[in-house]
Amino acid sequence: MAVLSGIIGLCVGSFLNVVIHRVPLRQSVVRPRSHCPQCGTQIDERDNIPLVSWIALRGRCRSCHARIPVRYPLVEAATAVLFVAAAVRLGANWDLPAFCVFFASLLAISVIDLERYIIPSRIIYPTLVVVGPLLVLAAALDSRWRALADAGIGGAAAFAALFVVHVISPRGMGFGDVRLAGVIGLMLGWLGLRYVPLGLFLAFVLASVVGIGLMVARLRSRKDAVPFGPFMAMGAVVAVLWGHPLLRLYLGSRA
Ligand SMILES: [Zn+2]
């Protein structure tokens, strides 16, 4: 299951590169086929193999030799790693597809937010449209209706919590962050309601540590905006993968 997830992850990662490039430009992610942004040549099937093609072409377009950013193979490799980690954590259960979709959209959102300071609703809503029915299906097949109810509660609670922060400080917390929190609350709630505050807490801790680090290194001043989406994404991934031992550490035998 882990190997299969890794291979699917590489292919999904390849699609995420298209999403990351086209969604902020409001272009279709389906049509036209991928082409080199420099020379416009349509990319051959043999040059479209995740990870392998970039290495074989040494990071350059076959026709015009323009550099292909290292972000492309990195996104493909990262998606594969996230899918393998999800498979190891969740096992061959019906909720695995939902968490793979969740991780994939967290990765795409993080890269776009880092590059452009936006969290596109054109990723958030499709994610909800896919993971919602997948969780309902998983609940039905594994009789996990309690988990489904907790997912709904978690999504609403996380959305409400960050909405309050957004109302208090609209510049510090954009509405894109609030929507993302809703998705994260939904998925973490499925694992258990305790995972929701854990994920959000980790996001704030990671953002503070990195923010202070950047200020100390004088790379950013207090006034510069640092996108919060990637930290929420990281907090969510850590909560999914290591939430259980973390909660036990914090709550002791009560967990
Ligand atoms: Zn080219």
Side-chain angles (χ1 to χ4, degrees):
M1 186 57 79
V3 172
L4 181 67
S5 299
I7 295 166
I8 295 172
L10 282 175
C11 301
V12 172
S14 185
F15 173 67
L16 291 184
N17 279 316
V18 178
V19 169
I20 290 164
H21 181 73
R22 292 190 188 175
V23 164
L25 301 174
R26 304 202 157 270
Q27 294 171 349
S28 161
V29 295
V30 194
R31 265 179 249 247
R33 286 201 40 198
S34 300
H35 51 81
C36 168
Q38 275 301 323
C39 66
T41 308
Q42 189 174 302
I43 291 162
D44 231 40
E45 288 292 348
R46 63 178 167 163
D47 296 338
N48 220 354
I49 306 161
L51 219 53
V52 178
S53 294
W54 192 88
I55 296 165
L57 293 167
R58 295 192 184 81
R60 287 180 185 279
C61 168
R62 186 183 288 277
S63 47
C64 73
H65 303 286
R67 279 205 170 282
I68 307 165
V70 72
R71 191 194 78 204
Y72 283 77
L74 285 181
V75 164
E76 287 158 1
T79 314
V81 168
L82 286 171
F83 277 33
V84 170
V88 170
R89 161 72 171 84
L90 297 163
N93 282 308
W94 290 108
D95 54 0
L96 180 56
F99 277 88
C100 286
V101 172
F102 177 50
F103 279 1
S105 74
L106 288 179
L107 182 60
I109 285 167
S110 298
V111 177
I112 292 173
D113 201 12
L114 279 173
E115 287 183 349
R116 297 169 188 266
Y117 298 93
I118 47 162
I119 297 178
S121 43
R122 280 185 66 207
I123 296 180
I124 296 285
Y125 295 137
T127 302
L128 279 174
V129 167
V130 175
V131 298
L134 281 176
L135 287 185
V136 173
L137 191 68
L141 291 167
D142 288 335
S143 312
R144 294 184 61 188
W145 298 109
R146 173 71 198 277
L148 188 66
D150 284 348
I153 296 166
F159 184 91
L162 289 222
F163 184 70
V164 171
V165 181
H166 168 72
V167 168
I168 295 167
S169 165
R171 285 167 61 86
M173 179 79 58
F175 198 67
D177 297 318
V178 180
R179 286 196 201 100
L180 176 59
V183 179
I184 288 173
L186 178 84
M187 298 305 291
L188 294 183
W190 169 269
L191 297 176
L193 282 178
R194 285 169 175 169
Y195 287 77
V196 181
L198 174 71
L200 295 179
F201 172 74
L202 287 169
F204 281 103
V205 169
L206 288 165
S208 309
V209 169
V210 172
I212 291 166
L214 289 174
M215 272 192 267
V216 169
R218 293 183 186 281
L219 291 171
R220 292 283 166 111
S221 78
R222 188 185 290 267
K223 282 178 198 153
D224 288 327
V226 174
F228 190 51
F231 297 108
M232 279 205 280
M234 270 193 282
V237 170
V238 171
V240 170
L241 298 179
W242 299 290
H244 188 64
L246 283 172
L247 286 168
R248 277 183 59 155
L249 201 70
Y250 176 66
L251 299 167
S253 55
R254 283 176 292 153

